[in-house]
Amino acid sequence: GGGDSFGNVWTDSNSNDDYNYSWIDIESNENYVDGLGDDNNVGPFNISPAFDYFWYSVDKIWIGSNGYVGFKPVQVSSTFPPIPTQSSFINNFIAGFMCDLNFAPDTTTIAPGGTTANPARCYFDDTPTQTVISYINVPFWTDPNINPIMGQEWVGYNTFQIVLNKIDSTITLNYKDRDAALTKNNDIEVGIQSKVRSFGLQPSTG
């Protein structure tokens, strides 16, 4: 599908016979991303050499808890904007699986008095040829007033990754595991947004 105003197009594994799914395992202690919680971002992480994104190059990245990475410290929370965002502030990001996810380390934000630790993890790896950000077993945010059941503090386990290929400037989104549970209002966005609000591409919404 596409293209956008800049000429970017997208394809998926259902429509591209030449695509071979390949999950990139970067799960190691040195790649672990600390500090993610509920509705926040961490960074910057250096990208070297830089990645060509739209008509410009980016050499730093911020990782958002809600399934996106930004090339500035942009905070995107529910309700999530369609792409192009038409916003002068919420821009310059890649939405891998942008929805209301939760890295909160304690269960008080989900079910007060809960005892189960959040299984969510995130990893970042940068090499001369590619940058990979992996979200592992990340649950959806749920309302503690609606879902206060002991033992069910975390709803959904989503595992996906964003791969930036520095050789050909392609972006690959790999989805390894998606739970059947739905995020709040089924509010999910997938796409790329430039630093100019009218330039973006959205393969999937909702």
Side-chain angles (χ1 to χ4, degrees):
D4 62 8
S5 300
F6 191 68
N8 291 306
V9 297
W10 64 269
T11 185
D12 63 23
S13 56
N14 291 325
S15 58
N16 187 348
D17 293 336
D18 294 327
Y19 176 74
N20 294 310
Y21 174 84
S22 180
W23 179 265
I24 302 171
D25 186 1
I26 62 166
E27 296 175 48
S28 62
N29 290 337
E30 61 266 28
N31 291 337
Y32 179 71
V33 174
D34 197 13
L36 288 171
D38 179 27
D39 292 342
N40 75 330
N41 64 78
V42 296
F45 298 88
N46 292 324
I47 300 176
S48 180
F51 176 70
D52 292 330
Y53 189 59
F54 286 88
W55 61 92
Y56 52 97
S57 296
V58 292
D59 60 5
K60 289 181 174 55
I61 197 168
W62 284 257
I63 300 174
S65 63
N66 287 324
Y68 69 92
V69 297
F71 301 114
K72 67 177 187 179
V74 58
Q75 178 57 45
V76 193
S77 306
S78 182
T79 303
F80 297 95
I83 299 169
T85 63
Q86 304 300 319
S87 170
S88 300
F89 305 101
I90 301 176
N91 54 40
N92 213 17
F93 63 81
I94 298 173
F97 188 65
M98 190 167 69
C99 57
D100 210 352
L101 299 174
N102 193 358
F103 278 86
D106 61 83
T107 58
T108 58
T109 60
I110 299 296
T115 58
T116 306
N118 191 335
R121 298 291 182 270
C122 185
Y123 298 88
F124 168 87
D125 183 58
D126 182 67
T127 71
T129 60
Q130 68 183 12
T131 302
V132 183
I133 305 95
S134 293
Y135 291 75
I136 309 296
N137 292 333
V138 187
F140 294 116
W141 183 90
T142 55
D143 190 335
N145 297 312
I146 297 175
N147 187 46
I149 305 170
M150 293 291 289
Q152 295 184 18
E153 291 89 356
W154 313 109
V155 176
Y157 296 90
N158 302 290
T159 297
F160 58 97
Q161 65 185 184
I162 301 169
V163 182
L164 311 181
N165 187 317
K166 299 177 185 178
I167 305 301
D168 60 13
S169 299
T170 56
I171 300 166
T172 300
L173 307 177
N174 284 325
Y175 300 93
K176 188 175 184 180
D177 186 27
R178 266 282 291 111
D179 196 278
L182 295 178
T183 186
K184 183 173 62 177
N185 301 325
N186 201 21
D187 184 13
I188 302 170
E189 308 294 343
V190 175
I192 58 175
Q193 172 66 50
S194 77
K195 61 184 179 182
V196 176
R197 58 187 178 183
S198 59
F199 287 81
L201 181 66
Q202 181 169 265
S204 178
T205 182

